[in-house]
Amino acid sequence: MSDSTVEKYGWTAVPRKVELLLQQSEASGPAKPISVSSIRLPDSDLVKAVHEYAKKELAIETFNHSMRVYYYGQAILTHAFPSWSSPSFNETYFLSCLLHDIGTTDKNISATLMSFEFYGGLLALGLLKSLSAPVSQAENVAETIIRHQDLGETGTLTRIAALIQLATIFDNMGGNPQLVDRATIESVVEAYPRMKWSGCFARTIRKENGLKPWAHTTHLGEEDFPTGVAGNKLMEPYE
């Protein structure tokens, strides 16, 4: 794979440990308020097709979460990692956001013995290839979905995966609140309401762990993770 492809689709390696990643932040001050209307959505034919697929396949609560993850990720990108941004990076990130929880639908979570992130990655790879996405882009979306809950202290992951980890943990647990201004949260939840997301996602975690005691999600703590999601104090006012 050429260096230009690595850069174009967000494959560049960064630390998996959040503290080390944030040491690379380019921020020069507190996060500034950003409105949803000021953040551009990618609009290629590929994106439009995947957006429609996600709206059709995902429950509204999960679709709204996926959109919030995109907007929070863009806010984090603007604040902390602006040099990562490019049209191809942002499109790859948006595709990853739209599809990152596709494995949690009632149909898909029961269709396989695989953990939802792994099965979701395979589903996304097949979908994107069927839509003629560039292979390097489709593969990074799949890798991002597979690794979006792969939090840890060692090793590396891609920039796209690192960004989606920051944004999902922010939306799900209120992690690293300094990365997003409160006015940005208010703009995002107005556009894509939470609809009791904390309880909804906590139930999904418990459902998968009950169906699949080997699920990858258990590495985050069989009780700690769903309890942390359900007890998200940062997002509690917006539930």
Side-chain angles (χ1 to χ4, degrees), residues 94-172:
F94 188 37
L95 294 170
S96 300
C97 293
L98 288 170
L99 297 172
H100 80 280
D101 277 345
I102 193 64
T104 66
T105 67
D106 289 340
K107 175 178 69 176
N108 291 334
I109 206 168
S110 302
T112 179
L113 295 174
M114 297 174 70
S115 300
F116 87 86
E117 311 100 301
F118 294 81
Y119 188 57
L122 295 179
L123 291 174
L125 185 61
L127 172 67
L128 292 170
K129 285 186 172 180
S130 76
L131 294 170
S132 301
V135 172
S136 297
Q137 183 180 50
E139 289 180 345
N140 200 7
V141 172
E143 171 130 345
T144 298
I145 294 168
I146 290 167
R147 298 196 66 185
H148 81 269
Q149 293 197 138
D150 188 24
L151 305 177
E153 299 290 304
T154 60
T156 61
L157 72 177
T158 72
R159 284 177 172 177
I160 296 281
L163 186 61
I164 206 169
Q165 283 190 359
L166 290 173
T168 53
I169 292 300
F170 181 79
D171 194 48
N172 288 335

Side-chain angles (χ1 to χ4, degrees), residues 199-220:
C200 177
F201 187 50
R203 287 190 295 274
T204 299
I205 296 166
R206 294 188 187 280
K207 178 180 179 180
E208 182 180 48
N209 289 349
L211 289 170
K212 307 167 190 177
W214 54 84
H216 181 251
T217 301
T218 59
H219 93 101
L220 296 172

Side-chain angles (χ1 to χ4, degrees), residues 44-65:
S44 67
D45 289 343
L46 173 63
V47 164
K48 290 174 182 175
V50 173
H51 186 265
E52 286 305 308
Y53 172 87
K55 284 187 73 173
K56 177 183 175 184
E57 295 293 326
L58 297 174
I60 183 61
E61 295 90 346
T62 310
F63 178 78
N64 280 7
H65 163 67

Side-chain angles (χ1 to χ4, degrees), residues 71-102:
Y71 283 107
Y72 291 143
Q74 286 296 310
I76 293 167
L77 199 64
T78 299
H79 171 61
F81 306 108
S83 66
W84 295 6
S85 182
S86 72
S88 56
F89 181 98
N90 295 337
E91 179 178 279
T92 306
Y93 179 66
F94 188 37
L95 294 170
S96 300
C97 293
L98 288 170
L99 297 172
H100 80 280
D101 277 345
I102 193 64

